[in-house]
Amino acid sequence: MEDSFKHKGLRSKLVETIIAKGIKDERVLNAISKIPRHLFMDSGFLDHAYQDKAFPIAADQTISQPFTVAFQSELLQVKPGDKILEIGTGSGYQTAVLLELGAKVYSIERQQELFKKTSKFLPKLGYRAKRLIFGDGYKGLPEDAPFDGIIVTAGAPFVPKPLLEQLKVGGRLVIPVGDNVQVMTLFTRKAEKRFEKQEFGDFRFVPLLEDKN
Ligand code: SAH
């Protein structure tokens, strides 16, 4: 588990790339420059770790593109101490970004293999989520709700109701919505029964799958 001078150099280039693509939030950029993304990938892809691209991980899933991770993190506007729910733990890279931002993180993954692997891996790097859960993200996490923010890292064919219901007033849900292409969508809970919806362009994610447990 090595993080060399060379890796750090590649990371600062990656940060320049995502700044050029429009990311401004200093705290998010700082998190990306700190986290050793190469360690979240299978060894065969190490050379690609600091390109701004998504790559395969176990169980036919992907580690999201760094720009996408930064974009979603920026939209979420995490403050230190915020309670954040992530749907789609995957490699744990986005989880690590949320932890670097000072969030208390709850993260759900439906693939058992990935859940087990990432649950072992994150603490080795010193990243301690409040809870990593094996389960179905469509349901959210009612027993730990409400949340200051919810981030969905897979493409949702529709917006799951429980996720909107589990936001605090003032809370934000960042979710890519659509089948083949997804529109990055931000819902802000303005009042108990009032949500504001904003859209931020097209992205491509692996699908948010219905429960098979
Ligand atoms: N945040 C991850 C992205 C992984 S890709 C990262 O930074 O690496 C999306 C992840 O969502 C996959 O691991 C996939 O297994 C998971 N997923 C898909 N449908 C889900 C569901 N219904 N509930 C929870 N996780 C789901």
Side-chain angles (χ1 to χ4, degrees):
M1 299 250 288
E2 188 207 8
D3 189 27
S4 69
F5 194 68
K6 181 183 146 212
H7 292 126
K8 293 190 177 104
L10 290 170
R11 256 194 326 270
S12 58
K13 287 221 177 88
L14 172 64
V15 169
E16 282 169 28
T17 305
I18 64 176
I19 291 173
K21 291 182 181 175
I23 302 298
K24 293 194 177 68
D25 188 323
E26 287 291 336
R27 294 169 57 242
V28 171
L29 293 168
N30 216 16
I32 305 272
S33 73
K34 252 178 106 171
I35 302 169
R37 186 172 187 254
H38 62 285
L39 299 179
F40 291 74
M41 295 173 45
D42 294 330
S43 56
F45 291 99
L46 287 190
D47 286 348
H48 301 296
Y50 295 110
Q51 295 175 13
D52 188 26
K53 286 184 181 160
F55 278 102
I57 53 175
D60 283 337
Q61 300 305 319
T62 59
I63 177 169
S64 299
Q65 182 180 344
F67 170 74
T68 305
V69 172
F71 194 87
Q72 288 195 276
S73 303
E74 198 170 71
L75 282 180
L76 202 59
Q77 292 188 358
V78 179
K79 295 183 298 302
D82 275 359
K83 208 167 138 187
I84 304 291
L85 174 64
E86 176 188 26
I87 311 296
T89 316
S91 69
Y93 182 72
Q94 173 75 68
T95 317
V97 171
L98 296 169
L99 289 167
E100 286 286 355
L101 293 172
K104 296 186 188 112
V105 184
Y106 299 73
S107 185
I108 308 179
E109 172 59 52
R110 77 182 278 285
Q111 292 276 359
Q112 186 148 36
E113 181 191 351
L114 275 175
F115 165 74
K116 282 189 183 155
K117 192 172 169 190
T118 302
S119 303
K120 273 200 201 128
F121 169 72
L122 280 175
K124 282 191 194 153
L125 287 189
Y127 288 118
R128 287 174 211 291
K130 275 270 164 196
R131 285 184 71 194
L132 296 175
I133 300 109
F134 173 56
D136 177 17
Y138 275 93
K139 301 188 181 75
L141 197 60
E143 68 265 34
D144 288 299
F147 297 95
D148 296 292
I150 302 180
I151 176 172
V152 180
T153 71
F158 59 90
V159 182
K161 270 245 174 61
L163 301 187
L164 289 168
E165 286 163 4
Q166 290 171 28
L167 283 178
K168 289 183 190 171
V169 171
R172 298 158 81 89
L173 167 64
V174 176
I175 180 169
V177 187
D179 291 320
N180 297 322
V181 177
Q182 292 85 33
V183 179
M184 191 61 75
T185 311
L186 168 65
F187 290 91
T188 308
R189 190 168 205 168
K190 294 289 192 182
E192 193 59 34
K193 293 204 170 138
R194 195 160 60 82
F195 293 86
E196 178 188 79
K197 178 183 172 184
Q198 293 165 277
E199 295 183 334
F200 296 88
D202 289 353
F203 288 78
R204 269 173 204 278
F205 285 80
V206 294
L208 186 68
L209 297 171
E210 298 273 5
D211 199 4
K212 64 171 186 188
N213 300 315

